[in-house]
Amino acid sequence: TVMRVRPGRPFRLFNAADGEFEATVDRLDRKSAEVRVGAQLRPPPESAVGPTLLFGVLKGPRLGMLVEKATELGVHTLQPVVSEYCVARTVSLPRLIAIATEAAEQSGRLSVPRVLEAAPLLDVLRGWEPSVPLCACDERGGGVPLAAAGVGRAAGLLVGPEGGFSPAEFEALAQMGCVVRVSLGPHILRAET
């Protein structure tokens, strides 16, 4: 991190818009720093398009793990949703943003995913852009394998909470023309997996 860098020592600066660069601290005090930017090490990512992960709010450390791993895997947007069977109902947005930022830095990712406020699932579904496919993980079975869904990088992926989705939520998903029921395999996975 920059806080450990001393004047004259090299480090790396990065963001999604410009890429990654060599840099050196020329001057550092408690209120400011002067930095000399050197050669570009990596260009910015080719595309800012990526998947949106909609996930049921989880309790405890599992929520942080989900945000961390989703960031490492390249999710573009993280949308916590509150569904009927969610045990937890709120999230700390600053905490989730901090986890996503740290995971991006640790994994060498140049961008941090957008993290949205938790919202009721049915509200999020009502506001979903119909031209964007939404893959809904269906633990009841019968969905196509995710790899065979053929939805592209800009799709959404909806993962339920620990208790799964209610019948009313499954019905709301069934009414949406953009929803593709998908399976992640023969086993029921933990919500954060």
Side-chain angles (χ1 to χ4, degrees):
T1 63
V2 174
M3 293 170 43
R4 295 183 188 157
V5 173
R6 303 274 184 241
R9 303 274 310 267
F11 70 102
R12 294 175 177 203
L13 284 175
F14 66 90
N15 66 45
D18 302 309
E20 183 177 36
F21 294 84
E22 292 178 343
T24 306
V25 174
D26 287 339
R27 186 183 58 76
L28 183 66
D29 60 43
R30 289 180 184 246
K31 295 185 179 181
S32 65
E34 280 185 24
V35 179
R36 187 172 357 108
V37 178
Q40 186 178 48
L41 300 171
R42 286 192 292 171
E46 289 183 25
S47 172
V49 175
T52 296
L53 178 62
L54 292 80
F55 56 93
V57 175
L58 305 174
K59 63 181 178 181
R62 291 181 180 163
L63 180 60
M65 181 196 291
L66 183 149
V67 169
E68 178 183 290
K69 299 308 173 194
T71 299
E72 292 171 357
L73 290 170
V75 166
H76 181 267
T77 303
L78 293 160
Q79 171 64 71
V81 295
V82 179
S83 63
E84 197 173 323
Y85 297 157
C86 278
V87 175
R89 300 255 170 218
T90 61
V91 299
S92 168
L93 190 61
R95 179 177 167 268
L96 296 186
I97 292 170
I99 291 168
T101 301
E102 184 177 312
E105 291 172 356
Q106 190 69 31
S107 66
R109 181 176 170 174
L110 296 181
S111 64
V112 177
R114 196 169 62 135
V115 183
L116 305 175
E117 285 280 357
L121 173 60
L122 295 179
D123 290 351
V124 172
L125 295 179
R126 276 191 284 277
W128 190 259
E129 171 57 47
S131 65
V132 177
L134 178 59
C135 296
C137 295
D138 189 346
E139 74 272 8
R140 302 173 305 174
V144 300
L146 181 59
V151 294
R153 284 194 44 80
L157 178 65
L158 173 62
V159 179
E162 292 100 336
F165 295 115
S166 72
E169 291 163 340
F170 275 121
E171 181 59 31
L173 289 165
Q175 299 303 315
M176 297 176 66
C178 62
V179 169
V180 178
R181 287 180 43 229
V182 297
S183 168
L184 299 178
H187 305 287
I188 294 178
L189 303 175
R190 294 178 74 118
E192 73 272 16
T193 304

